Amino acid sequence: TYSVSHDLRAPLRAIKGFSEILTNDYTEQLPEGALRYLDLVKNNVEQMDQLISGLLRLSHVMRHPLHKQTVSISALANQAWQELADIHSERNVEFTLHNLPDSEGDPVLLKQVFSNLLDNALKFSRERPIARIEISCTTMDGNIVYVVKDNGVGFDMRYAEKLFRLFQRLHSNREYEGTGIGLTTVQRIIHRHSGRVWADSTLGRGTELYFTINETKLTDKLQSSRQIT
């Protein structure tokens, strides 16, 4: 995956570059329809570039050596939030971070989990006058469960099995941008930490993403009401 994704970058740059040359240098000679097609070419190149970037990040996650240590989950979540908050400073967001217990894990990869989940929460709550995002924890069967909750658009739980599949998306690109790789990356990281990740959502009323780390006892008690991966 890494090799193919990396090698695809060069021809993509060529397609984008030559399309821009045609647009910039031959605008007067090209009919309006041709210019529109060139815009479509460039837009699709950008979309493919995003997919390649996602695959490279996913490959990096899987190849990254697991350096487990005692980490402050609260600190990792806060770092991930501060980075995203700077990017979305114009948004009206109420962010609540509860005190989270420490755990054993790779700090780089676990921070990526929070970055991806918070980025999703921001994206799917952007139509709300006030976006509400909350990170908390609970216990289940003796295991700590971390929860990232938002008041966004949510999704129909009938399609929850698609949520963590590579390239699978529950919303079109016209509604919300994305590649369908972010939650797959989260799932792979959590699996590497001997945990689970699953979702609970109501269409139009928000989503809750749950995950465990170093789970000692896997159960299927939530199978009837939630999608567990």
Side-chain angles (χ1 to χ4, degrees):
T1 300
Y2 178 84
S3 298
V4 171
S5 298
H6 185 271
D7 291 344
L8 283 173
R9 279 278 169 79
L12 270 186
R13 283 195 295 267
I15 294 169
K16 182 178 180 181
F18 287 125
S19 298
E20 290 175 346
I21 290 172
L22 284 171
T23 302
N24 296 332
D25 295 353
Y26 296 92
T27 301
E28 295 181 359
Q29 291 119 295
L30 291 173
E32 184 178 342
L35 293 172
R36 186 172 66 254
Y37 288 137
L38 283 172
D39 282 338
L40 289 172
V41 169
K42 288 188 288 183
N43 289 338
N44 279 275
V45 166
E46 289 172 3
Q47 184 178 354
M48 189 171 181
D49 187 62
Q50 291 174 6
L51 290 170
I52 291 172
S53 296
L55 284 172
L56 288 172
R57 287 193 296 271
L58 180 60
S59 176
H60 174 73
V61 163
M62 299 309 295
R63 296 164 69 239
H64 179 83
L66 202 62
H67 299 298
K68 279 195 171 185
Q69 61 190 68
T70 301
V71 293
S72 169
I73 301 299
S74 293
L76 291 181
N78 187 57
Q79 290 171 18
W81 170 252
Q82 291 302 326
E83 292 174 4
L84 289 168
D86 289 340
I87 299 173
H88 299 276
S89 57
E90 78 288 351
R91 294 269 305 273
N92 189 359
V93 182
E94 289 183 2
F95 176 67
T96 304
L97 174 59
H98 296 272
N99 187 40
L100 307 174
D102 297 347
S103 186
E104 291 288 320
D106 187 298
V108 174
L109 295 182
L110 291 179
K111 181 186 174 186
Q112 187 67 53
V113 167
F114 282 108
S115 294
N116 287 14
L117 294 181
L118 288 169
D119 187 55
N120 262 21
L122 283 164
K123 177 168 60 177
F124 293 114
S125 63
R126 69 185 180 201
E127 305 301 328
R128 301 293 188 241
I130 301 176
R132 292 184 174 87
I133 299 172
E134 180 181 5
I135 302 179
S136 61
C137 68
T138 185
T139 57
M140 184 184 301
D141 301 311
N143 294 289
I144 297 170
V145 181
Y146 300 96
V147 188
V148 179
K149 179 180 179 181
D150 66 66
N151 67 334
V153 294
F155 62 87
D156 190 330
M157 286 294 288
R158 290 180 298 173
Y159 307 107
E161 74 278 357
K162 295 183 177 181
L163 199 61
F164 299 99
R165 292 181 186 173
L166 191 62
F167 300 136
Q168 293 292 311
R169 305 189 64 233
L170 302 185
H171 302 86
S172 70
N173 264 332
R174 285 174 292 183
E175 295 176 299
Y176 297 95
E177 70 286 352
T179 60
I181 298 176
L183 288 181
T184 303
T185 302
V186 167
Q187 183 199 56
R188 302 290 173 86
I189 294 173
I190 295 304
H191 281 181
R192 291 191 68 186
H193 284 79
S194 303
R196 294 177 296 156
V197 56
W198 67 95
D200 192 9
S201 184
T202 302
L203 192 61
R205 298 183 61 181
T207 298
E208 295 178 354
L209 266 297
Y210 302 82
F211 67 90
T212 60
I213 303 172
N214 305 316
E215 190 165 348
T216 57
K217 182 182 178 182
L218 297 177
T219 68
D220 57 358
K221 290 184 177 180
L222 295 179
Q223 280 283 14
S224 60
S225 60
R226 293 169 182 158
Q227 172 67 25
I228 300 179
T229 307

